[in-house]
């Protein structure tokens, strides 16, 4: 079985000193690709260093909405420069978070607009975070499509209206360990995503799937999320893993066997 973790945070402090062991376990679990997601400009630098050191790891460059108010004027210029690197495959993580409101909402929206411009100019996809901001996220998806930018709604827990907006824009939708939680009630949404628009992720070190819930997540645990999504869709885990791996490589603009062991 081949798997591709489309969204995790290998630069997080939770992995300090253990990255090589974590990546080894990921390989042993069948992963052929991992994208480590940036949260701010400095994190984007760290993500790129990691990606250039491991053949099956790629990076993104962007500023998380939590960090929108803390950014410097030069950060977007730095992100723009990083997007020229071939190991940087997407813009983000960007988006809107109205749950924590760590940054003012108008500041989040302005930064999101800047990320959409970067994606359109670089021809690299957007990685969207959305929490309690479904209407504004749907509007942003439509604005991105108008600008010629595509993207993914990561760790999707939105409603059918947001899903329909994403699919109408030919976006991708990604699911993580939340689908294994007892209280998860989105099986109908999971089934509604066309197979060629479906992605899998861990969001590690966060949101570990059952039976690891409450502990540090890592890419090797993607097998459990894959099994849960396959069960909801009435499909075979290996077939779903293969399909979502193809989708991940297509979404991130990688060749069809990128990351496969030699």
């Amino acid at each position: 079985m081949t798997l591709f973790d489309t969204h995790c945070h290998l630069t997080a402090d939770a992995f300090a000193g253990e990255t090589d062991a974590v990546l080894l376990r990921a390989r042993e679990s069948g992963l052929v690709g991992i994208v480590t997601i940036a949260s701010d400009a400095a994190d984007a630098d760290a993500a790129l260093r990691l990606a250039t050191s491991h053949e099956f790891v790629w990076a993104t460059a962007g500023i998380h909405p939590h960090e929108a108010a803390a950014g410097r004027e030069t950060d977007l210029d730095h992100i723009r420069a990083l997007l020229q690197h071939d190991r940087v495959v997407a813009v983000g993580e960007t988006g809107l978070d109205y749950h924590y409101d760590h940054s003012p909402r108008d500041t989040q929206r302005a930064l999101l607009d800047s990320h959409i411009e970067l994606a359109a100019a670089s021809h690299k996809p957007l990685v969207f975070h959305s929490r309690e901001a479904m209407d504004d996220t749907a509007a942003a998806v439509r604005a991105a499509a108008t600008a010629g930018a595509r993207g993914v709604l990561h760790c999707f827990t939105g409603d059918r209206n947001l899903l329909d907006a994403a699919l109408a824009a030919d976006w991708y939708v990604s699911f993580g360990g939340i689908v294994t939680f007892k209280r998860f009630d989105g099986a109908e949404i999971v089934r509604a995503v066309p197979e060629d628009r479906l992605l899998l992720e861990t969001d590690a070190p966060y949101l570990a799937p059952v039976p690891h819930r409450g502990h540090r997540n890592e890419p090797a645990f993607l097998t459990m999320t894959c099994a849960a999504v396959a069960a909801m869709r009435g499909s075979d885990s290996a077939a779903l893993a293969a399909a979502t791996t193809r989708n991940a490589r297509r979404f991130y603009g990688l060749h069809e066997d990128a990351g496969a062991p030699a």
Side-chain angles (χ1 to χ4, degrees):
M1 185 163 68
T2 60
L3 286 162
F4 199 117
D5 186 356
T6 61
H7 189 118
C8 70
H9 300 272
L10 291 175
T11 57
D13 289 344
F15 293 123
E18 298 184 54
T19 306
D20 288 345
V22 167
L23 291 175
L24 177 60
R25 287 193 292 272
R27 274 297 203 197
E28 292 172 344
S29 296
L31 271 75
V32 296
I34 298 172
V35 175
T36 186
I37 307 293
S39 298
D40 57 28
D43 194 36
D45 285 334
L48 178 55
R49 287 194 296 272
L50 190 61
T52 55
S53 301
H54 298 87
E55 63 179 357
F56 76 124
V57 177
W58 290 267
T60 71
I63 303 169
H64 194 285
H66 287 343
E67 308 301 326
R72 299 171 300 177
E73 292 183 4
T74 58
D75 284 349
L76 284 174
D77 289 335
H78 188 61
I79 297 298
R80 183 179 294 107
L82 290 177
L83 289 169
Q84 304 306 308
H85 200 290
D86 62 0
R87 302 297 295 185
V88 177
V89 293
V91 180
E93 169 176 7
T94 185
L96 301 168
D97 193 308
Y98 295 170
H99 177 76
Y100 288 109
D101 279 327
H102 288 325
S103 296
R105 295 182 181 184
D106 59 344
T107 302
Q108 293 185 47
R109 289 191 288 265
L111 183 62
L112 175 55
D113 289 343
S114 296
H115 280 71
I116 291 172
E117 293 173 4
L118 287 172
S122 66
H123 304 291
K124 292 186 176 181
L126 290 152
V127 177
F128 255 48
H129 168 105
S130 177
R131 189 167 186 187
E132 297 181 17
M134 285 186 281
D135 289 345
D136 282 356
T137 299
V141 167
R142 289 189 285 267
T146 299
R150 59 196 180 89
V152 58
L153 296 177
H154 108 87
C155 199
F156 190 75
T157 55
D159 61 14
R160 187 59 191 254
N161 288 335
L162 179 53
L163 175 64
D164 288 345
L167 296 180
D170 289 328
W171 277 41
Y172 289 67
V173 180
S174 180
F175 295 99
I178 290 175
V179 301
T180 70
F181 296 177
K182 288 183 179 180
R183 293 185 179 180
F184 179 72
D185 61 358
E188 183 177 347
I189 293 289
V190 171
R191 289 190 288 269
V193 179
E195 186 178 87
D196 66 349
R197 285 293 179 269
L198 180 66
L199 298 175
L200 300 176
E201 65 173 273
T202 60
D203 203 15
Y206 316 108
L207 300 174
V210 174
H212 299 287
R213 187 176 182 185
H215 300 281
R216 186 189 72 182
N217 198 4
E218 62 178 79
F221 298 166
L222 190 62
T223 56
M224 298 156 201
T225 297
C226 180
V229 171
M232 290 176 192
R233 294 172 64 90
S235 61
D236 174 74
S237 290
L240 183 72
T244 53
T245 295
R246 289 193 299 270
N247 295 344
R249 287 167 169 157
R250 182 171 65 249
F251 175 73
Y252 283 121
L254 305 173
H255 60 79
E256 63 182 14
D257 60 351

